[in-house]
Amino acid sequence: MIASSSDFVTELLPSAQRTALLYHLSYLCLAKFPNLERILRERAIETQLLFGSSEVILLKCAATSKNLVSTLLPALKAAVEKDKSILAIKSLEKARAWITEIVDKVEQMVERYDKHNHSVGSCTSDVIKVKVETEKRLEKANEAIKEQEKAVRKEEEQLKKNSEEIRRIDEMIAQTNQELQNCIRQASRKRNRLGFITALVPFVGPLVNAIFGSKIDAGLAANIQALSNKLSQLSNEKSNLRNKEWNIHVRLTDLQLKLAGMKIAEGTIPDPVHLNDVQSCLTRIQQILIQIKKFWETVSVMLEALRDETFANEHFIEDSDMKELFLESITTAQQHWKTFGESCLYAKGIFSLQKQNAYLFLEISPSSLSKDEWQKRYDSVIAELNKISPDPIAPKPTAAIAQ
């Protein structure tokens, strides 16, 4: 499940910001190793280009959402008012064509992220190889370095445990979300206002609210309430774990940076931990794109079902009350799709900003910096990393997106 409005944006922003800063730190740590500098610069530029393509994808999502609001839903409204089922079917087919194009493009982007992540991993291997060669000059590691490495490992273990707990919560959220959606479908089988809203609004939150305002079986309503409460509780648990994960990341980064400084002072390359973190950030962004792809696939299936079940007959809505309910559902759908489109534009802006400004550090070789200039840049990047919040200002969430 992707949270509407701001949840996928909340995940996206710190990952994108952190990616550039971690590249910058890795770049600084490779001063005096020009071949590694060159390889890292190539990978960072590839990431920058990838973000540019991701920006285009999100703009496409926003444009499609806008077209749904301004073209498809008004066309459906006109079709209902004039009892023109053929017009409705043509509009739905046009929308599904838009969505198929998005799904294909997002799938291509996911594959590009996967390929790029492998190339970053290859860069990490190159750094490790040179690191081993330089460490041969040091017969015995400094005791202070050993203690620092021990502290780093301790935080890494905490991070691993926290990540496992997040995965467990994610599995429970997916299962609960599926159970909730099954109940929603069961409650909306009859052709009424609830059924129309379910077909037009692929967002769990508004659907649950609509169900509570409808007359349905008391046992089913109680089950939906319980599942909705469980989903909220699990979401809160995940949010707390994300905050805990962020705090561990902050402590771990601080320890890793101190360790890097100690190793640099000894004349060797520090562990390429920042590149590992880059891969983690890229993987998280990739997962967000996968969620967006699944969402649009779900919307396509819903529109197909709407076409087959509602507009198959020549006189598809004969009852005037049913027709009014359908028109109200379209108005409701327009509001939620408008909010989703705004979120996509906000996310597009995140990629745009990162693409334009975040990689300017590549214009200067760290090898050319004086010791004071190098330290000044290093401290500045650390300060920026510490400013990143896991809960950035983003559009206010209104619902959950059905998957």
Side-chain angles (χ1 to χ4, degrees):
M1 173 177 89
I2 307 171
S4 91
S5 280
S6 76
D7 221 32
F8 80 91
V9 176
T10 301
E11 293 260 348
L12 180 64
L13 181 55
S15 296
Q17 291 176 320
R18 203 171 157 81
T19 297
L21 292 170
L22 291 168
Y23 264 131
H24 197 167
L25 282 179
S26 299
Y27 196 52
L28 289 171
C29 289
L30 294 179
K32 314 302 181 186
F33 296 90
N35 189 49
L36 294 177
E37 278 184 39
R38 178 186 57 78
I39 294 173
L40 183 65
R41 188 185 298 110
E42 290 174 356
R43 298 299 173 267
I45 290 173
E46 287 173 7
T47 299
Q48 195 175 12
L49 294 173
L50 204 56
F51 280 9
S53 298
S54 301
E55 176 190 353
V56 173
I57 291 291
L58 284 161
L59 183 59
K60 183 73 174 175
C61 289
T64 300
S65 298
K66 182 178 179 180
N67 284 337
L68 287 171
V69 172
S70 62
T71 305
L72 170 68
L73 295 176
L76 285 179
K77 188 177 290 187
V80 172
E81 290 171 341
K82 299 176 181 178
D83 201 24
K84 300 286 187 181
S85 61
I86 294 177
L87 174 61
I89 290 172
K90 286 183 178 179
S91 298
L92 289 168
E93 285 302 317
K94 182 181 292 186
R96 291 188 68 234
W98 297 337
I99 291 167
T100 298
E101 183 180 357
I102 288 179
V103 169
D104 290 343
K105 289 185 179 299
V106 174
E107 188 170 6
Q108 293 170 13
M109 281 302 306
V110 169
E111 291 175 357
R112 285 180 61 188
Y113 269 91
D114 191 53
K115 183 178 179 181
H116 179 55
N117 225 336
H118 283 299
S119 70
V120 175
S122 175
C123 180
T124 303
S125 299
D126 292 338
V127 174
I128 291 174
K129 183 179 179 181
V130 176
K131 167 182 158 50
V132 170
E133 293 173 355
T134 58
E135 284 185 337
K136 289 178 181 178
R137 299 196 299 261
L138 303 174
E139 293 183 0
K140 188 181 292 185
N142 187 294
E143 283 299 320
I145 290 178
K146 287 184 177 181
E147 286 298 317
Q148 194 71 11
E149 288 175 336
K150 184 177 179 181
V152 167
R153 285 194 296 272
K154 183 178 179 181
E155 290 297 335
E156 287 174 340
E157 289 172 3
Q158 290 294 320
L159 185 60
K160 182 180 178 182
K161 290 179 181 178
N162 197 75
S163 296
E164 290 172 353
E165 186 66 13
I166 289 176
R167 280 194 293 271
R168 186 184 69 82
I169 294 292
D170 276 337
E171 290 174 359
M172 293 177 67
I173 287 176
Q175 180 181 347
T176 304
N177 189 47
Q178 186 60 56
E179 292 175 11
L180 180 58
Q181 291 182 54
N182 290 339
C183 288
I184 290 172
R185 280 192 287 270
Q186 185 178 347
S188 60
R189 280 174 182 165
K190 294 183 179 181
R191 288 178 57 183
N192 51 26
R193 180 176 183 273
L194 187 56
F196 293 143
I197 290 180
T198 302
L200 293 169
V201 182
F203 307 94
V204 172
L207 293 179
V208 172
N209 292 334
I211 285 172
F212 291 152
S214 304
K215 294 180 180 180
I216 63 171
D217 177 76
L220 183 58
N223 195 21
I224 290 174
Q225 180 69 70
L227 289 170
S228 181
N229 292 342
K230 183 179 179 181
L231 202 55
S232 296
Q233 179 185 348
L234 289 170
S235 296
N236 288 335
E237 289 182 28
K238 181 179 178 180
S239 179
N240 291 335
L241 286 169
R242 283 294 189 200
N243 286 329
K244 182 178 179 181
E245 178 186 55
W246 192 262
N247 291 331
I248 295 173
H249 266 302
V250 170
R251 294 196 302 269
L252 182 57
T253 299
D254 182 60
L255 290 170
Q256 289 170 336
L257 292 173
K258 289 178 181 177
L259 179 60
M262 294 165 73
K263 289 192 174 184
I264 289 171
E266 293 290 338
T268 184
I269 301 176
D271 293 320
V273 290
H274 309 311
L275 286 178
N276 293 335
D277 285 345
V278 164
Q279 286 184 275
S280 297
C281 291
L282 291 174
T283 297
R284 184 166 294 178
I285 294 171
Q286 182 187 34
Q287 290 302 315
I288 291 169
L289 289 172
I290 290 172
Q291 286 180 299
I292 291 173
K293 172 177 172 282
K294 288 181 178 178
F295 165 69
W296 283 110
E297 287 173 337
T298 300
V299 174
S300 181
V301 171
M302 290 168 57
L303 293 180
E304 184 177 13
L306 182 66
R307 179 198 66 192
D308 295 341
E309 297 172 8
T310 306
F311 297 101
N313 301 318
E314 183 179 351
H315 300 286
F316 51 97
I317 300 180
E318 297 176 345
D319 184 272
S320 60
D321 290 338
M322 294 292 285
K323 182 174 291 189
E324 188 63 31
L325 288 174
F326 192 89
L327 294 175
E328 290 177 5
S329 299
I330 291 176
T331 300
T332 300
Q334 286 177 303
Q335 295 169 354
H336 292 296
W337 276 109
K338 182 175 182 291
T339 301
F340 178 68
E342 290 170 352
S343 295
C344 290
L345 281 178
Y346 186 87
K348 176 257 181 190
I350 291 172
F351 279 121
S352 178
L353 187 63
Q354 290 296 306
K355 180 190 70 174
Q356 293 174 7
N357 303 321
Y359 292 85
L360 295 177
F361 65 88
L362 295 172
E363 297 176 1
I364 299 176
S365 169
S367 301
S368 66
L369 300 174
S370 67
K371 184 176 180 180
D372 288 342
E373 288 173 330
W374 187 96
Q375 191 64 51
K376 184 178 179 180
R377 283 177 176 263
Y378 193 87
D379 293 342
S380 175
V381 177
I382 300 306
E384 290 300 315
L385 268 173
N386 290 333
K387 288 179 185 177
I388 298 176
S389 168
D391 297 310
I393 298 173
K396 185 178 179 181
T398 58
I401 296 177
Q403 181 174 302

